[in-house]
Every structure is written in structure tokens, then in C-alpha cells.
Amino acid sequence: MNTLTLLSHSPHTTFHSSAVSPNKTGSFLQPLSCSSALGFCFPNPLFPPAQIASRVRISYKFRRSLFPAEPQLSDVDEEDDDDDDDDVAADEYDDVPGEASDGVEDEIETSMVASEVTAFRSEESKWRRVEKLCNEFREFGEELIDVDELASIYDFRIDKFQRLAIQAFLRGSSVVVSAPTSSGKTLIAEAAAVATVARGRRLFYTTPLKALSNQKFREFRETFGDNNVGLLTGDSAVNKDAQVLIMTTEILRNMLYQSVGMVSSGSGLFHVDVIVLDEVHYLSDIYRGTVWEEIVIYCPKEVQLICLSATVANPDELAGWIGQIHGKTELVTSSKRPVPLTWHFSTKTSLLPLLDEKGKSMNRKLSLSYLQHYASGDNSFKDERSRRRNFKKYESDISYRSSLSIHGKSPLSKNDINTTRRSQVPQVIDTLWHLKARDMLPAIWFIFSRKGCDAAVQYLEDRKLLDECEMSEVDLALKRFRLQYPDAVRESAVKGLLQGVAAHHAGCLPLWKSFVEELFQRGLVKVVFATETLAAGINMPARTAVISSLSKRGESGRIQLSSNELLQMAGRAGRRGIDESGHAVLVQTPYDGAEECCKLLFAGVEPLVSQFAASYGMVLNLLAGAKVTRRLIESDDLKVLHAGRTLEEARKLVEQSFGNYVSSNVMLAAKEELTKVEQEIQALSSEVTDDAVDRKSQKMLSAMAYNEIANLQEELRAEKRSRTELRRRMELRRMSALKLLLKELEDGHLPFMCLQYKDSEGVQHSVPAVYIGKVDSFDGTKVKNMVYTNDCFALNAIVTELSVDDTESQLDGRPSYYVALGSDNSWYLFTEKWIKTVYRTGFPNVALARGDALPREIMRTFLDKADIQWEELANSELGGLWCSEGSLETWSWSLNVPVLSTLSEDDEVLKMSQVYYEALECYKEQRNKVSRLKKKIARTEGFREYKKIIEMTKFTEEKIKRLKARSNRLISRIEQIEPSGWKEFMQVSNVIHESRALDINTHIIFPLGETAAAIRGENELWLAMVLRSKVLLGLKPAQLAAVCGSLVSEGVKVRPWKNNSYIYEASTTVINIINLLDEQRNSLLELQEKHGVQIPCCLDSQFSGMVEAWACGLTWREIMMDCAMDEGDLARLLRRTIDLLAQIPKLPDIDPLLQSNAMIASNVMDRPPISELAG
């Protein structure tokens, strides 16, 4: 997909309807902004009617006193070294209310408001139309259901991609929809829900986050009524038998486990016709992506899937995969944003368009050269004509390093670049001034650290962004919120909130974040400073999205945002039906400038990548068959409840992953390319044969010239054959000479030598070494046994074919293996082929002290006792060259091997061999003869034309060589591609089998396996082991909660600042239990390591004291006093603990006492403000 299309301004579509919903009794709300959940009701509309009706652009001017010069703050400066990336989106929103309260469920949808009155009328009409349409379908039959009827419930014309997707759904196909953020993908699911409800069937709507589930729950109840919509999350179960059921993806995955594996009471998919997978691009999420793949794999084929995704690079592959394993699937894509997006770039002095007028390259005024000259006061850059003249030859290449400066000087130095960038970094107030002056508020301002967000709010808490009326409304809302949730008020943020600014990140309580979101939607918060997790959160659109930096701090330093992350954050800008254009503002930082912004912007969206991974829960639910239960009275046979899937059946499921589908496509493409390459090699090879060259010569040369060259070429070929034979003879004589010389040195000193070889890339290496001895003389050693028993070291006998008059028939042409120690402290195993030369100097073979072993014997001892792994460096028909690392014992010996430059050529013993030098002279004479014959050919009449033929032939041979290399790479790649997932599945299965949770041969599941199969968590087997441990039975409820907290605290961190540096310590009993469990944990980790499984086993007592204190009844204020944890982190830890405790009473084969204590602890802990997180 063309990214430029995605970024370009699309025609604006004005929506004439809005959203005000009926309440639970079917009556309609008055046009008020209400929220009984927060305890207040305001009569003001979200946006002033005058502003909406007239569309007059209001320009705000700041009073001079509004922005004092000091202090100054840059959002980049606030990224603290100790403040890591914020928590993943799943954790960020995992604890937001799951069941909407009466006031929250009546909350008014504001994203498509045109005016309050129009919204009321259009939504009233929409509700009646939905109800009327469903009644007509039931009365007159399903034949009435078509795209036009479904589109008639809306007061606006639906978009083309929405119409195409609905038509595909009505044809009975599954649908994959890929479209930009806020383009209206939910409308497709809503239309499908209308059709499904009218048919009397059910639709499941899944989201990745509880907060999104809560939002969709409210929206669908406003459209379909309370009785027809239900909610199912880990925290809540509301009307779970409703026709439209909203849930998180993990809940649906667990339902499908029951339908494909061990059946307990039913699959839970009774009368389900449609499953909507919202945010299906989460499939690429490294932690949770496997859930989406499993749902598609396990989903019954008769169920239609509607997959809604943000824009990705490979939606065709996703649709193809679903079509292959699930059934007929149609792809619908759209690159058009309903609200055009304009890109800006903020510097210290200005807010400029990021792109040029065509939107295809960077704005010239943002180049480093321009900014440098502008800052230095170069007037020529401020004059329009001069600017055009200076930029006439300016290339639009956004890479500043490769472009010259405007005056033709050399590229900017690194120091100049850093200086220019730092001088242009704006403060928060600089950028905010431009946003307010240009009527670009409200804005979401992304800063990639919690401290940065909080510091920005504190910096602006004295700057008024609200008028007196708005401040009064915020104050009243805050008072009512404080009355209802006194512990949820974030006191440090109150002053900023009253001025219209707020922070939104994982360190805040979810209740406080919900309060901020509602005020923002009502226009009472003008700027929200948020971490990137908000980009994946609930619907909270703004007019402007500010991205403070293109990089964020990670564990290994700064990491750059991906293009998908950038576009997702920018996609929050632009409210459909409200804004004519959305604005994305990128900010100059010391690390990134406009060049990097454009580079990332034009990089294109990234493809979906499979994250399929086997878990204990997956394996147990797929393979589990018979349960080990009490023996029946009638017989001693085991009671069989269900026959599990065979390994082959499980393998077929596992190998249906998205990654395997993409790999199979890659393999198919590689095989097709390999076929083409081999065909081309075959065709080109026929052009370089002697016959082909001869035919071309005859065609291009005269008869006389051809005959002359042909005769000389025949003579040349004969001389080359002689040269080859003499070279082979010379090599054999060299080896024979070396063999005799090394035999003479066997009992003397240890001579130095030079080994020489070329690696796989053709690079020649020369290695100085000290000669140890011939392998044949190493009686009874490991090396000798290896050489004679391992086929890798096998040598073919080389028969020396000497001429008749040769009297040196005694020469032995068979190679032998030798050992030497190199100067790099490596052992070398080689034949005579790899010896360049041998020197007369070396180590004296003399004992250092009387009674000591000789150096040669010492070296052989080192070689024999080491467990050596040999690596082949080079190979030939005359034997190979092998290498292995030495040891500490050989290190001092290797240090005494001299470098080659210090060894004299006069010491080379090979020069003493007369036989070798005679063969060498013969070879040189023949080589000169061949050279003279080539020169004679070059002087012939037709050589010029003949040379062209030869050069073309050489060019073709080089091309064949490259094609053969390409062919070898393709063959290697095809061999490496193998189905993924199954290996990991079997590794996990082996751990389960060895831990006696499940017998993978008989499929009998044991009590440990039953518990693990039913539990929800990252490492189900580890959690089951802990909960079945008898040491927990003696714990009190609060102590049990503390232990459970230690199992779910992964990712929670201590964040001390100022004087807040305390956390509660756990009781001695809890610490002792955790220490005992740590021994079991180590055993499981060893078992996992044995089978190559890397699933974390969390057990951390650091925060157990905080959980125990809360479970003992401490108030929220007491527990947070001087606490070194953020409120949001502690709330998330407590919710996780409650979730685990709530599972225990429902798990099979758990001691009743433990179940009772878990229920008590869960009930005690589930109190405000934590109880409100579950919705």
C-alpha cells in the first residue's frame, strides 16, 4: 500500500448525524452531558453551538503575563534515565471498569457530534430505525436484509469500504477490513450485529483491552438496548446470554479451548453466527499476539469472522491465511482518512508544515542548512527571491548527511548538526503557544515517560487554558468526583486540571484516568500529556496529536518508534463531524530533526508478524483426554470423560499459524525463483562452451583469421593441459618433500611453520605455528582415533603418475595429517597441502628441569586431555584444514610463536629439496610458454574481434557464477524454512509430561494438569504447582493474598522520587513461604531449561508486603503515604492479585480451605478505589 496515499489529504466527508442514545428503559436522554457514575450533570454542550454552527475559526491570543519567560521546560528534558518505557497497553487499560454502572452506560458519544439538537434527533431516529428494521426482518423474512436496508439506519451516507465490507458479510464470507484509525470500522460490526440480531442469532465482539470492551458495551447498549447486549471480561459477567456479547480476546480463546480440547460443560458458542475481532493488528503483539491466531485456528468454520485492523502492509496475507484455514474470506481495504491529517513540525521559533505543497518531500525551510543560516541571521534566506535562487539546485533528498549545504559548502559536521538541533529544541510552552494561537486545541501530547508527563502538567499549572466558566465546571466536577471517590483523586494534578491540563499514564488510577477522559471529551481539558499507551486505548479523539520525540528510552538505550506507532499516535488527531482537518505535530529534539521525521513517515506501514507461541494452557487443553478421578464402585477402571486429540491432530492445528502460512508463501516464491535461476543458468551455460565460442568466431572472423586463431588456440589448450599436469606434479613433489623433511624433524626440535589457506570469501590467511608432530605417531590418542574413525577426515589415496624416465618412483603421494599450535592459541589439524613453508628454527625439545617431560610430549598431553571440537576452515582433494581453540595451558606456548616477518627466508627447509625445485622450474618454464603463446595470439589479424567474443564469454561466465551463488542461497533458505510452533509445542509437552501433569502418550490428565488447564496466567503450570502446594493451607487470608501477589508482580517497579521511598514489608510467615516456593520454582526452571522452554516463573516478594497491608484493611491513603510506587502500579498489582484469588474457588481439585481463604481475601481486597476498577 502506498504510504503517501495514506498520508495525503482526502476529501472531507461531513456527517450530519451524531450519537445520543436511549436509556435502559427505551426513552431518550435530554441533550445534557451526564455521568451519574461521576455524580454530576452539566447542561453545557461538548462544543459551543456558535462555534459548531458558524464554523468560524477562533484565534486565541495569549496575554503577555500568561507565559512568563521562566522557568522553561522541554518535554525531552523530562525523560528520566531511570524511567523506563511505560507499561504495555494491555496493562495500561487492564483494570478499567468492566461492567458499566448506570451513569457511565448512559454516557453520550461525542466523536461525531455536529450539534446537540441534531445529535439527539439523529440518534433517536437511529434507535427507532434499528428496532423497526429488526421487526421487519422477523416479520417478512431474512430476504429483506441487504446493504441498503442496513445503511438506512444511519443519517449519513456510509463510505465505500463500509458498503463493500457489509456486502461481503451478507454474502456469507468472513471479512478482513484494513483502514486508518477513526475511519469508521466499527460501523461494519454494528451493521453485522443488526443483521445477526434480526435473525435471532448471536454475535461476539472481542477487543484486546477491558477498557475498549467497556466502551463498546456502552455503545452497543445505546443502539440495541440493555437486554440485547452483554459483557464478559475477567472481572465482570453482565447478561452473558445476550445476543450481542462484548468480551476480551482471552475470554473467547478460553471458550474455544473447550470446543477443541477438553470439554467440561460446552463450548460456549451456542447459536453464535459471527465473531468480530477488533484491533486484529494486535496479532503482531509480542506478548499477546498468539491469542488472535489461536482464535482464528480454533474457531468453528461455520462462524463468520469480521476482522477489523488498522492499516498494515500485508492485509492480503492475513485474509489469505484466514481463507485457507477457516473458509471463504474477502479483503476490504481503505487508505482514506475521513478527516484529513496535516503534518507540522515545531521548532523553538515556529510551527511549520512538515511536508512541501505536494506532500511528497520535506519542507525546505526545515533543512538543517536552512535552520542554521536562518538562526545565524543570513538575510538571503529570509528574502523570497534569494531563497528561490539559493534553493534552485537543492535536492529534496531528506538525508542531510548526503546533501551539500545551500551555498555549495561541504556537508555539515556532526558538531554543527548537534549545535543546530539543540538551538532549535522548543520548550513545551513554545509549541503550546502556536497550538492555541492557531486554534489547534484540544490536543493529546505524547511524552514517553511518566515523569515527563507529570512535569509538563506542573510546568503549565499556572497557565490558564480555560475561561472562568469552564474552570467553574471543572471545579464542580472535581468536587463531585471527590465526594464519590475520595481516594481516587490525584492531588498533585488538581491544580493543573483546573487550568485545563492533565496527565494520563499507567501511574494514575484508572478511575482518575476515566475522569480525565470524560473532561477531555467535554472540552474541559485542553491538553492531555500521555504516554504512548493512550494511542491504543479507548476512544479519545482530539484536534491535534503532538509527538514529542521519535525515540524513547529502552533497556538498551534509546530506541526509535516504528512507523506503525507513529501513525497510530497521529491517528488520534481529527474528530469526525467536528474537525475539518486533524493535525499531527512532530517536535525538534536533540536526537531527531525534520529529516528523521520524514524518513520515518515515508518508511511505510509495517507488516503483521506472527507471534504464535505454545503455552501450558494450550497444550493441556488440546491434548487432555481421560481424567484421573475416584475409582468407580462398580469397577477399577479409570473414568474417561473425553478423548483428547492425538499428537498428529494437535500438530495440524498448531501448524496452521499465520507464521507458517507466510513461510509457505515464502517457500513457494523461493522455489519459483530457484526454477527460473536454474533455467537461466542452463541457457547461459550453453553460450560459454568451446563449440559456442567456435561458432561465434566463425561467424565474425574471416576464414584466414579464423583458421590462424583456431590453430593457435588448439595449441594453447594443449600447453595449458601440460601446465596443469606440471602444476599437479609440482604439488605432489612439494608434499613428498615436506613429508620427508617433517619425518626428519619428528625426533628433533619443534620447528616453526607457516600455514596458508583461503576462507569461504576468498580471503587468504597466513598462520604462524609450531609443529607438534604427525598424527600417525600419536599412539592411542583421541586425535588419532578421531582421524581414523570419522569420515570427515577420510583421505583418498593419491597415485603419483610419473613419466617413464622419472627415477623418483619412491615418492609417496598420499597425504597425511599433522598437528600444530598456532600463535593465536588454536590447534590446527592439516595435511601437507596447507603448509606454505617450514623453518629450521623452533622450540628446543629439551626438558626445562631434570625429570620433566619433553615439550613435544607435554603438548601432546594437552592435546589429548582436552575435549576438542574441530571446525573445518578449508578443504580440498588433498585433505582438509581444521581448527580448534586451545586452553589456558597452551596459552603461554602460543605467545612464544614468532610473527612471520621476524622469520628469515634463508631458514626455510623446503629450499633444501632438489626434487621439488626441479619440478618448480619445469612448471615455471611451461607457464612462460603459455604466456608467450597468448601474446602470439594477441598479434593475429582477427584478434580484436575475437577478444570481444572472449570478453563476452567471460562476462557470461561471471553471470553464471553469480546465478549459481544465488541458487545456493535459495536452496539453503528453502532447507531452513520449516513449520514453526510444533517444536515449541513438543518442548512444552515434554515439561508437562515430566512434571506429571499430563501423560502425552496416553493423554491421561492428572490433577495438576486439570488445575493448570483451568487457570489463567502467564505460566499456568507454575501457578497450579503453587496453588496445589500444601504449605499454603496454614496461611491466613491476608497472607495468602501476599503470596499470590508475589506470583503476579512481574513488570511492577519501584519508582522512588523526592521523599517517597517506602514500601511495606511482608510478614515473616509470608517470606518463609515464598522462600520455600523458590525451591520449587528453581526445579521447574531447571526442567524448562532441560527441554528448551523459556516461559517466566514469577516469584517476587518485593511487593508482597503492600498486598498484605491492603488485605489486612489499611486504607488507600495509609498505604500510599510516602509510597515508592505509583498509584496505578499498585492498583494494577492489587487487581491482578484479586483476579488470581477469584479464580481459586473455581479451579478443580483445590483444597476447600484454600478456596475459602481465597474468597475471603478477594472480598476484603475488592474495595474502593480498587473495587471500582472492575466496573
Side-chain angles (χ1 to χ4, degrees):
M1 183 178 294
N2 190 346
T3 308
L4 296 179
T5 305
L6 183 69
L7 301 174
S8 62
H9 294 182
S10 59
H12 178 64
T13 303
T14 303
F15 285 79
H16 304 290
S17 66
S18 183
V20 176
S21 61
N23 60 19
K24 293 189 293 183
T25 62
S27 61
F28 288 86
L29 297 173
Q30 298 300 315
L32 302 176
S33 179
C34 300
S35 178
S36 59
L38 301 180
F40 54 81
C41 179
F42 300 108
N44 70 297
L46 180 62
F47 298 94
Q51 177 185 345
I52 299 172
S54 62
R55 293 288 183 182
V56 175
R57 189 166 187 171
I58 300 174
S59 177
Y60 294 93
K61 294 185 179 180
F62 289 84
R63 292 190 295 270
R64 187 174 301 274
S65 62
L66 189 60
F67 300 116
E70 299 293 339
Q72 290 189 337
L73 173 71
S74 169
D75 47 23
V76 177
D77 296 336
E78 286 303 321
E79 291 194 31
D80 192 12
D81 290 354
D82 298 328
D83 198 21
D84 298 336
D85 296 335
D86 217 355
D87 304 286
V88 296
D91 266 353
E92 169 76 18
Y93 288 94
D94 207 35
D95 300 315
V96 177
E99 179 189 353
S101 62
D102 292 345
V104 176
E105 68 200 23
D106 291 334
E107 183 180 276
I108 296 175
E109 172 60 42
T110 62
S111 63
M112 296 171 59
V113 172
S115 70
E116 289 292 330
V117 176
T118 305
F120 172 72
R121 291 176 180 172
S122 62
E123 185 59 27
E124 181 181 28
S125 176
K126 177 183 175 183
W127 163 251
R128 290 179 177 174
R129 287 171 183 170
V130 169
E131 189 175 29
K132 179 182 178 181
L133 200 61
C134 290
N135 291 334
E136 289 177 354
F137 291 160
R138 295 189 188 103
E139 183 176 354
F140 299 106
E142 298 180 8
E143 294 77 10
L144 288 178
I145 302 178
D146 61 21
V147 65
D148 293 325
E149 290 291 338
L150 294 174
S152 68
I153 65 177
Y154 302 99
D155 272 355
F156 52 86
R157 183 178 179 181
I158 66 175
D159 293 338
K160 181 179 179 181
F161 86 93
Q162 296 167 332
R163 177 175 290 271
L164 291 174
I166 295 171
Q167 288 174 336
F169 166 75
L170 293 176
R171 285 193 292 268
S173 302
S174 292
V175 188
V176 172
V177 181
S178 176
T181 304
S182 303
S183 59
K185 295 186 289 290
T186 304
L187 182 146
I188 300 166
E190 192 175 58
V194 172
T196 305
V197 170
R199 292 167 179 161
R201 306 291 291 182
R202 302 182 73 196
L203 176 143
F204 284 180
Y205 191 111
T206 71
T207 75
L209 311 172
K210 290 181 181 178
L212 286 178
S213 295
N214 297 333
Q215 181 190 6
K216 298 303 177 185
F217 175 61
R218 293 191 292 269
E219 291 177 359
F220 275 78
R221 287 215 298 185
E222 290 167 354
T223 302
F224 294 95
D226 294 2
N227 294 332
N228 291 323
V229 183
L231 176 68
L232 199 60
T233 67
D235 298 317
S236 305
V238 181
N239 197 15
K240 62 181 180 180
D241 294 323
Q243 284 186 275
V244 178
L245 187 59
I246 316 296
M247 65 184 69
T248 52
T249 47
E250 279 80 1
I251 297 293
L252 177 58
R253 191 268 307 271
N254 294 340
M255 285 185 180
L256 292 172
Y257 272 158
Q258 297 173 356
S259 65
V260 298
M262 181 177 60
V263 175
S264 56
S265 59
S267 69
L269 300 183
F270 187 64
H271 289 319
V272 175
D273 275 4
V274 185
I275 291 177
V276 178
L277 297 177
D278 199 0
E279 310 287 346
V280 77
H281 53 268
Y282 265 74
L283 183 144
S284 288
D285 186 87
I286 192 171
Y287 299 106
R288 303 172 63 210
T290 184
V291 177
W292 279 259
E293 291 193 59
E294 289 183 65
I295 287 174
V296 175
I297 293 171
Y298 305 149
C299 183
K301 296 186 183 300
E302 63 271 13
V303 175
Q304 284 180 267
L305 293 175
I306 299 178
C307 303
L308 308 178
S309 170
T311 307
V312 292
N314 57 341
D316 53 333
E317 289 184 332
L318 177 63
W321 169 62
I322 296 175
Q324 177 175 295
I325 69 170
H326 184 73
K328 183 180 178 182
T329 303
E330 298 186 42
L331 172 64
V332 178
T333 62
S334 174
S335 59
K336 185 177 73 172
R337 283 180 51 90
V339 179
L341 186 63
T342 304
W343 292 86
H344 307 267
F345 191 78
S346 176
T347 65
K348 187 173 184 64
T349 58
S350 61
L351 180 67
L352 298 172
L354 176 64
L355 307 177
D356 62 11
E357 294 178 356
K358 296 182 179 179
K360 295 184 177 181
S361 60
M362 187 185 74
N363 183 357
R364 294 173 178 177
K365 289 186 177 181
L366 293 174
S367 69
L368 279 167
S369 299
Y370 188 98
L371 292 175
Q372 185 187 45
H373 285 85
Y374 189 90
S376 64
D378 190 339
N379 292 329
S380 65
F381 281 79
K382 301 175 185 178
D383 179 76
E384 181 66 17
R385 293 181 181 177
S386 179
R387 182 187 67 79
R388 291 179 179 176
R389 180 172 63 253
N390 286 326
F391 274 95
K392 185 175 181 181
K393 297 182 179 180
Y394 180 77
E395 299 292 337
S396 61
D397 183 4
I398 63 175
S399 177
Y400 59 87
R401 291 182 175 86
S402 62
S403 62
L404 297 178
S405 70
I406 298 164
H407 287 301
K409 300 178 182 178
S410 59
L412 295 175
S413 67
K414 187 175 182 180
N415 186 57
D416 290 338
I417 292 171
N418 292 336
T419 302
T420 301
R421 281 183 169 171
R422 291 186 180 279
S423 68
Q424 292 296 323
V425 174
Q427 305 297 328
V428 171
I429 201 64
D430 298 327
T431 304
L432 180 60
W433 186 89
H434 289 292
L435 297 182
K436 189 167 179 65
R438 300 186 186 197
D439 192 21
M440 293 169 65
L441 298 179
I444 298 176
W445 199 307
F446 292 102
I447 298 178
F448 305 120
S449 84
R450 299 182 187 183
K451 288 185 179 179
C453 293
D454 292 336
V457 171
Q458 292 178 9
Y459 175 50
L460 296 177
E461 62 185 11
D462 293 327
R463 277 77 171 180
K464 293 184 179 181
L465 297 180
L466 303 178
D467 57 31
E468 296 299 327
C469 181
E470 290 172 328
M471 290 179 64
S472 299
E473 293 184 37
V474 173
D475 185 52
L476 179 59
L478 186 61
K479 288 178 180 178
R480 294 186 179 274
F481 182 82
R482 190 186 298 275
L483 285 175
Q484 190 165 1
Y485 309 110
D487 290 333
V489 176
R490 188 175 173 87
E491 297 295 346
S492 61
V494 168
K495 189 174 180 181
L497 190 67
L498 292 171
Q499 305 301 329
V501 293
H504 188 292
H505 53 70
C508 306
L509 277 174
L511 276 174
W512 179 257
K513 288 190 292 184
S514 297
F515 179 55
V516 170
E517 290 163 8
E518 182 164 347
L519 292 180
F520 185 83
Q521 291 169 357
R522 296 179 55 222
L524 298 177
V525 171
K526 302 301 182 182
V527 181
V528 168
F529 293 96
T531 52
E532 72 271 25
T533 51
L534 181 61
I538 67 172
N539 184 27
M540 190 173 156
R543 180 168 297 169
T544 300
V546 182
I547 296 94
S548 64
S549 174
L550 292 188
S551 58
K552 54 187 178 181
R553 192 174 302 279
E555 295 180 358
S556 57
R558 301 195 69 84
I559 56 176
Q560 191 178 47
L561 297 178
S562 68
S563 57
N564 284 18
E565 290 173 323
L566 175 64
L567 293 174
Q568 188 176 31
M569 285 185 281
R572 308 294 292 179
R575 297 161 296 180
R576 190 169 188 169
I578 301 174
D579 299 321
E580 294 182 359
S581 176
H583 304 277
V585 179
L586 301 172
V587 181
Q588 174 74 58
T589 72
Y591 317 102
D592 312 302
E595 293 88 352
E596 287 77 14
C597 293
C598 288
K599 183 178 179 181
L600 184 59
L601 192 58
F602 291 114
V605 292
E606 297 174 338
L608 292 174
V609 179
S610 173
Q611 302 294 344
F612 189 84
S615 65
Y616 292 114
M618 176 197 295
V619 174
L620 287 167
N621 281 286
L622 289 183
L623 296 183
K627 297 181 181 179
V628 176
T629 60
R630 296 179 180 177
R631 293 184 178 274
L632 301 178
I633 300 176
E634 294 82 0
S635 67
D636 292 334
D637 295 332
L638 292 177
K639 184 177 180 182
V640 179
L641 296 182
H642 184 270
R645 290 177 178 267
T646 65
L647 284 175
E648 188 58 33
E649 290 172 334
R651 179 168 189 162
K652 289 180 180 178
L653 281 175
V654 171
E655 291 186 350
Q656 288 180 344
S657 70
F658 179 59
N660 285 336
Y661 172 80
V662 175
S663 297
S664 65
N665 287 346
V666 171
M667 178 179 287
L668 183 61
K671 287 182 177 179
E672 290 177 355
E673 186 177 356
L674 179 61
T675 301
K676 293 179 181 178
V677 169
E678 290 178 342
Q679 290 174 350
E680 189 173 0
I681 290 174
Q682 186 176 359
L684 292 175
S685 297
S686 63
E687 298 178 9
V688 296
T689 61
D690 291 342
D691 291 339
V693 173
D694 191 63
R695 286 193 300 271
K696 292 177 183 178
S697 300
Q698 280 183 315
K699 185 176 180 180
M700 297 182 66
L701 301 176
S702 65
M704 185 174 68
Y706 168 74
N707 290 331
E708 182 182 11
I709 290 180
N711 293 333
L712 290 174
Q713 282 291 340
E714 184 61 35
E715 184 180 352
L716 179 63
R717 282 192 285 270
E719 295 299 338
K720 283 184 176 181
R721 286 193 293 269
S722 298
R723 183 187 63 182
T724 302
E725 179 60 29
L726 287 173
R727 179 170 184 167
R728 181 173 178 271
R729 185 186 295 267
M730 176 195 68
E731 185 67 25
L732 292 175
R733 289 182 181 273
R734 189 182 73 85
M735 291 176 61
S736 299
L738 285 170
K739 189 183 293 289
L740 293 174
L741 291 170
L742 292 174
K743 185 176 181 180
E744 294 174 2
L745 296 171
E746 192 73 29
D747 297 327
H749 69 287
L750 282 66
F752 300 130
M753 58 170 44
C754 175
L755 303 177
Q756 194 172 74
Y757 69 98
K758 288 184 178 180
D759 59 22
S760 58
E761 298 180 357
V763 179
Q764 184 167 283
H765 300 270
S766 297
V767 182
V770 58
Y771 174 65
I772 306 302
K774 188 176 182 180
V775 171
D776 289 345
S777 64
F778 293 6
D779 295 331
T781 61
K782 294 180 180 178
V783 176
K784 184 175 182 179
N785 293 335
M786 177 191 67
V787 167
Y788 279 96
T789 58
N790 196 325
D791 294 338
C792 296
F793 300 93
L795 295 171
N796 297 322
I798 306 297
V799 179
T800 308
E801 298 181 2
L802 303 174
S803 59
V804 178
D805 58 346
D806 199 326
T807 57
E808 301 292 338
S809 57
Q810 75 276 12
L811 291 177
D812 186 1
R814 291 172 298 178
S816 302
Y817 273 108
Y818 304 86
V819 175
L821 178 66
S823 61
D824 56 353
N825 194 29
S826 296
W827 294 106
Y828 288 90
L829 181 64
F830 53 92
T831 62
E832 299 89 349
K833 160 73 178 175
W834 310 105
I835 302 175
K836 180 183 178 183
T837 189
V838 180
Y839 299 92
R840 282 179 294 200
T841 55
F843 290 158
N845 191 29
V846 179
L848 294 178
R850 182 173 297 179
D852 288 353
L854 298 177
R856 179 174 278 109
E857 297 302 322
I858 294 174
M859 301 291 281
R860 290 182 179 181
T861 303
F862 292 160
L863 182 65
D864 193 46
K865 73 178 185 179
D867 187 13
I868 294 179
Q869 301 293 325
W870 294 96
E871 176 188 357
E872 188 177 45
L873 298 178
N875 201 356
S876 75
E877 62 176 4
L878 299 176
L881 173 65
W882 302 75
C883 173
S884 180
E885 291 185 7
S887 61
L888 287 175
E889 296 170 319
T890 60
W891 180 57
S892 60
W893 293 84
S894 68
L895 293 176
N896 289 303
V897 177
V899 296
L900 293 176
S901 60
T902 61
L903 296 171
S904 173
E905 293 184 1
D906 298 332
D907 287 337
E908 295 181 13
V909 296
L910 195 57
K911 292 184 177 180
M912 299 165 50
S913 173
Q914 185 65 29
V915 175
Y916 166 66
Y917 268 92
E918 288 177 357
L920 178 62
E921 290 301 321
C922 290
Y923 169 71
K924 287 182 178 179
E925 183 179 347
Q926 183 63 28
R927 189 174 61 185
N928 292 334
K929 190 174 182 179
V930 169
S931 179
R932 289 193 298 271
L933 195 54
K934 287 182 178 179
K935 292 179 181 179
K936 186 176 180 180
I937 294 173
R939 293 192 295 269
T940 58
E941 177 185 349
F943 179 72
R944 185 184 298 270
E945 296 297 327
Y946 181 73
K947 184 180 180 182
K948 293 179 181 178
I949 298 173
I950 297 301
E951 288 178 348
M952 183 59 66
T953 302
K954 289 182 178 179
F955 177 80
T956 305
E957 288 175 343
E958 287 295 322
K959 187 174 182 180
I960 292 173
K961 185 178 179 181
R962 291 193 299 269
L963 288 171
K964 287 183 176 180
R966 175 63 178 160
S967 175
N968 292 334
R969 288 195 297 270
L970 286 170
I971 292 172
S972 175
R973 186 178 184 184
I974 290 171
E975 291 174 350
Q976 291 173 359
I977 295 176
E978 60 179 22
S980 61
W982 181 246
K983 178 181 178 182
E984 293 78 8
F985 187 93
M986 287 307 301
Q987 289 171 334
V988 172
S989 300
N990 291 332
V991 175
I992 289 174
H993 180 79
E994 197 164 329
S995 62
R996 298 297 294 168
L998 172 75
D999 188 327
I1000 62 174
N1001 298 315
T1002 63
H1003 296 265
I1004 294 177
I1005 186 169
F1006 296 95
L1008 175 61
E1010 289 186 58
T1011 305
I1015 207 166
R1016 288 181 287 107
E1018 186 172 18
N1019 190 321
E1020 302 91 341
L1021 183 61
W1022 165 236
L1023 293 177
M1025 286 180 170
V1026 173
L1027 297 180
R1028 293 182 59 80
S1029 177
K1030 300 302 181 185
V1031 298
L1032 301 185
L1033 298 180
L1035 297 178
K1036 298 177 181 178
Q1039 295 170 336
L1040 175 61
V1043 173
C1044 288
S1046 71
L1047 302 174
V1048 295
S1049 61
E1050 187 171 5
V1052 178
K1053 298 178 181 179
V1054 173
R1055 301 176 187 269
W1057 65 291
K1058 296 183 180 179
N1059 296 323
N1060 298 349
S1061 57
Y1062 302 101
I1063 58 174
Y1064 284 89
E1065 294 183 356
S1067 62
T1068 304
T1069 302
V1070 171
I1071 295 298
N1072 292 337
I1073 294 297
I1074 292 177
N1075 291 335
L1076 288 175
L1077 293 176
D1078 193 47
E1079 298 178 5
Q1080 297 182 23
R1081 175 177 173 270
N1082 291 332
S1083 299
L1084 179 57
L1085 288 174
E1086 290 176 4
L1087 182 59
Q1088 288 190 162
E1089 185 178 1
K1090 173 184 174 182
H1091 293 288
V1093 175
Q1094 297 180 340
I1095 302 178
C1097 300
C1098 181
L1099 184 67
D1100 186 358
S1101 62
Q1102 183 179 13
F1103 304 106
S1104 295
M1106 300 294 289
V1107 178
E1108 189 174 10
W1110 180 254
C1112 286
L1114 264 69
T1115 66
W1116 186 254
R1117 291 193 178 185
E1118 288 173 335
I1119 203 171
M1120 287 304 301
M1121 187 177 296
D1122 297 333
C1123 181
M1125 297 177 67
D1126 282 345
E1127 289 180 317
D1129 287 336
L1130 179 57
R1132 190 159 40 256
L1133 172 61
L1134 296 177
R1135 273 301 340 155
R1136 289 180 186 174
T1137 305
I1138 294 171
D1139 179 66
L1140 180 57
L1141 289 169
Q1143 290 185 64
I1144 294 176
K1146 306 172 186 177
L1147 296 177
D1149 206 61
I1150 295 293
D1151 193 285
L1153 177 60
L1154 188 69
Q1155 292 179 325
S1156 175
N1157 287 338
M1159 187 175 297
I1160 294 171
S1162 175
N1163 292 336
V1164 170
M1165 293 180 65
D1166 198 7
R1167 64 183 191 272
I1170 303 303
S1171 60
E1172 306 299 336
L1173 305 185

